[in-house]
Amino acid sequence: MKTLIKLIPFIAVMVAQSALAEPVAVIVNSANTQSLSSAEVKRIYGDKTIAWDNGEKIAVYNLPPEDKSAELFAQKVLGMSARDAAAEESNRAIKNTSRNPQQTKRAILVSSIVSKTPGAIGYVPKDMANSKPGIRVLFIVE
Amino acid sequence: MQSARLKCIAVASMIAGISFSSMAMSATIEQLEQRLNAVEEELKLAQEEAADTSGKIRNALTVGGYADVEFVKTNDPATVGGFRMHHLSLMFKKQVSEKLKFFSEFEFEDGPWMDGTAGANAILVEAVNFDYAINNTTTARVGRFFTPAGIWSVDHYPPFVSTQDRPLHIRQIFPQLTDGASVTGNHAIGDSFLNYTLYVGNGETSDFNGKQDSNRDLATGLRVNFSLPFAQVFDIGATYYREMMNDPALASDAQPNKHAYGVHAKIKQGNLGMQAEYADGKYEPTQAIAPAPLPGPVYHRKGYYAQLSYDIDMWTVGYRYDFYDPDTTATLDNTKVNSLIVNYHVDKNTVLKWEHHLLNLEDPASKDYYRSIASVVVNFD
């Protein structure tokens, strides 16, 4: 019982943190008409799918693992923590098996790059995606 | 009366004028605010773009790598514990063109002195190869690379594995490195995913060098891995390897034809992870000159391990059971290892590890012993 009481503040912080996480929009360039499911996005970020249906290579953009949006995206879409997802990408790079290296940038740059790059995919806070022309939202992660 | 009316009209006109100009002013302020916000946004973006250099260096030669330092405590009579500068590994990569990529890894093991000869420390060129992307699913590689076999042979880098000591049979049945060429394919099959690597190389020999094939023919191998959609990670696969050895360390009439195979599995769901490998190498002694099988004893090397792990926030705890038999025709040469594992992930590039291995030797004349290792491992992205 004492242990449970000790855990209450920790649980409260966790709940508060998850409540604060803003929804995330998975985005592509507005010229890109291909639709993608969450499972297909997972394969892109898992380095399994590296090209769009038209054969063009996918430019994959990530947020830094300490970013709250990165954590929400990794948990809900990739099924792992953002730290684990970043470590997997680093592991692919170090063992030289990465087929389509990902780039990590801050959200404002990801939205800007995706709006200008037809072959790009990324994810940003929902509000940022809504206010940016040249972007198409694939789906929202909450 | 008329002047009073005129006064009223004048006052009303003034009020209307003031309110109109005030409305116009507030509209201008609103426009200015919007413009200011847009300029602020553009400035922020410009600052971010200026600070971000990764795009500019993407096609330049990049340097990465990792380093680790260990403290080893053991009661193994054959070794001495203490601090160990185990690895300093530098990787140079360059995307030469859209389709061509260069990769190399230089490893400084046990902190070698450039003029020193004592000890087993070494400078190793562990990888130097070129990748050519034939298309979006197939890549050809030529040069030196880690032999594609099972899991640990490739997926072995200290920042991303839970122990510094590898399972005993790794590198004993399938060789650590291959000088040769490979083709790797990646194909989606429904919700599953197939990855394969087919390769040829100079093969395994005690005088492994980068300039010639000492063996009687080229070694060939195939590794296949299926990623199935049953869990977060659900990988199963198999490896095959064959060669006709000509190892100067072995007698000329006992050069084996080697056939080895292995199976592997890796599963991760939630916080729980499991990884296991089994490998069996069959050695048929032959004469180096006339490589027909001899009536001499055919022997096998066998090894396997199973490792369970559980993640708790920044911690990973685990257990591994490991078995290795270097010669199935010999007696009292098996080793079993029980390992306890604790990792603390400081961040995605830094791990603090503690591992405790209890080695159980089949030979009663040899004393069982333990190896306990505390290490700090850092990856350089």
Side-chain angles (χ1 to χ4, degrees):
Chain A
M1 190 61 193
K2 277 182 181 172
T3 315
L4 271 176
I5 291 166
K6 279 180 192 167
L7 281 175
I8 286 172
F10 177 71
I11 292 166
V13 168
M14 295 293 285
V15 170
Q17 276 183 342
S18 61
L20 284 173
E22 192 185 336
V24 169
V26 180
I27 55 171
V28 292
N29 186 275
S30 55
N32 183 342
T33 55
Q34 189 175 330
S35 58
L36 291 172
S37 67
S38 179
E40 286 166 324
V41 170
K42 181 181 176 182
R43 284 160 76 141
I44 290 172
Y45 278 85
D47 203 37
K48 290 187 161 56
T49 303
I50 65 165
W52 297 106
D53 284 351
N54 63 9
E56 189 190 346
K57 202 147 187 190
I58 305 171
V60 185
Y61 289 91
N62 251 315
L63 300 183
E66 59 275 11
D67 190 302
K68 275 184 184 170
S69 298
E71 188 61 41
L72 183 63
F73 174 80
Q75 295 278 1
K76 301 282 180 169
V77 177
L78 309 181
M80 62 182 79
S81 70
R83 190 198 73 211
D84 283 353
E88 276 200 0
E89 171 66 5
S90 294
N91 192 16
R92 282 192 291 271
I94 200 171
K95 64 187 182 181
N96 195 24
T97 59
S98 183
R99 300 168 64 213
N100 191 23
Q102 299 168 14
Q103 295 198 59
T104 300
K105 295 182 186 298
R106 285 156 59 107
I108 188 170
L109 272 184
V110 171
S111 61
S112 172
I113 290 166
V114 172
S115 73
K116 294 172 193 162
T117 313
I121 186 169
Y123 55 88
V124 293
K126 185 182 161 192
D127 288 349
M128 190 179 280
N130 289 339
S131 62
K132 191 88 186 169
I135 275 176
R136 183 168 68 88
V137 175
L138 286 173
F139 55 86
I140 302 290
V141 182
E142 290 179 293
Chain B
M1 186 68 187
Q2 203 174 2
S3 76
R5 191 177 291 164
L6 278 171
K7 273 181 190 171
C8 278
I9 291 168
V11 169
S13 305
M14 276 173 70
I15 291 167
I18 288 167
S19 47
F20 179 76
S21 65
S22 123
M23 273 169 66
M25 251 170 87
S26 70
T28 313
I29 288 169
E30 207 170 295
Q31 281 173 350
L32 280 172
E33 270 178 1
Q34 278 175 359
R35 182 68 196 132
L36 188 64
N37 286 341
V39 169
E40 268 180 354
E41 192 75 7
E42 280 168 27
L43 183 65
K44 221 155 100 180
L45 189 59
Q47 283 172 337
E48 290 281 344
E49 278 171 348
D52 181 68
T53 55
S54 57
K56 298 181 188 90
I57 62 167
R58 196 177 177 199
N59 294 326
L61 184 75
T62 57
V63 183
Y66 70 93
D68 54 21
V69 175
E70 300 171 356
F71 182 76
V72 182
K73 192 165 166 49
T74 179
N75 62 351
D76 174 10
T79 58
V80 180
F83 287 99
R84 184 180 188 192
M85 315 298 112
H86 198 160
H87 302 103
L88 167 60
S89 205
L90 300 175
M91 288 154 180
F92 297 87
K93 303 173 204 175
K94 182 169 172 65
Q95 191 70 41
V96 180
S97 68
E98 184 66 26
K99 286 183 172 284
L100 188 65
K101 188 175 74 174
F102 169 75
F103 178 86
S104 65
E105 179 186 353
F106 298 89
E107 183 173 299
F108 299 80
E109 190 166 294
D110 297 330
W113 290 89
M114 297 306 285
D115 60 349
T117 52
N121 47 18
I123 300 171
L124 308 163
V125 179
E126 293 220 316
V128 53
N129 55 61
F130 293 96
D131 279 2
Y132 183 78
I134 296 166
N135 53 40
N136 283 333
T137 58
T138 314
T139 304
R141 174 173 291 180
V142 63
R144 175 172 295 173
F145 45 86
F146 282 91
T147 303
I151 300 172
W152 207 290
S153 290
V154 178
D155 211 346
H156 67 279
Y157 286 99
F160 306 106
V161 293
S162 52
T163 60
Q164 297 293 98
D165 276 6
R166 58 183 168 266
L168 294 173
H169 81 269
I170 302 299
R171 300 183 182 175
Q172 303 301 319
I173 296 169
F174 304 110
Q176 177 192 3
L177 300 170
T178 293
D179 285 355
S182 70
V183 174
T184 299
N186 297 277
H187 300 278
I189 304 168
D191 289 338
S192 302
F193 195 81
L194 165 69
N195 165 275
Y196 69 85
T197 302
L198 180 65
Y199 57 95
V200 294
N202 287 346
E204 184 182 6
T205 170
S206 59
D207 70 341
F208 185 75
N209 59 68
K211 63 180 180 185
Q212 63 188 27
D213 184 4
S214 305
N215 289 327
R216 287 170 288 149
D217 72 349
L218 286 172
T220 51
L222 173 67
R223 178 188 185 269
V224 178
N225 187 77
F226 289 96
S227 299
L228 304 173
F230 301 140
Q232 262 168 258
V233 176
F234 197 111
D235 285 2
I236 55 168
T239 303
Y240 176 74
Y241 179 87
R242 61 147 300 281
E243 68 172 308
M244 293 164 73
M245 294 173 70
N246 187 25
D247 191 335
L250 301 171
S252 63
D253 61 351
Q255 294 297 329
N257 288 346
K258 175 176 170 179
H259 296 266
Y261 75 91
V263 288
H264 65 263
K266 186 175 187 176
I267 299 168
K268 178 132 202 232
Q269 181 61 40
N271 296 332
L272 192 63
M274 190 282 289
Q275 176 174 322
E277 291 186 66
Y278 172 88
D280 182 341
K282 181 184 175 190
Y283 295 76
E284 290 177 293
T286 61
Q287 288 188 357
I289 300 163
L294 288 172
V298 173
Y299 67 98
H300 288 249
R301 276 184 190 171
K302 282 185 182 174
Y304 59 85
Y305 73 87
Q307 180 174 297
L308 285 171
S309 63
Y310 191 82
D311 297 332
I312 312 161
D313 197 24
M314 309 295 272
W315 297 85
T316 300
V317 292
Y319 165 77
R320 183 169 74 218
Y321 179 78
D322 183 6
F323 172 86
Y324 178 53
D325 182 354
D327 183 345
T328 50
T329 60
T331 53
L332 305 178
D333 63 346
N334 298 348
T335 305
K336 295 171 188 166
V337 189
N338 286 279
S339 306
L340 287 175
I341 304 157
V342 180
N343 290 177
Y344 179 74
H345 304 272
V346 179
D347 54 44
K348 81 177 177 79
N349 286 321
T350 311
V351 193
L352 307 177
K353 299 181 189 176
W354 176 78
E355 60 202 78
H356 189 73
H357 308 281
L358 290 169
L359 288 93
N360 177 243
L361 309 175
E362 190 185 20
D363 184 356
S366 302
K367 199 179 158 201
D368 295 349
Y369 64 92
Y370 74 87
R371 277 172 60 81
S372 201
I373 305 171
S375 56
V376 54
V377 187
V378 179
N379 179 47
F380 314 131
D381 253 347

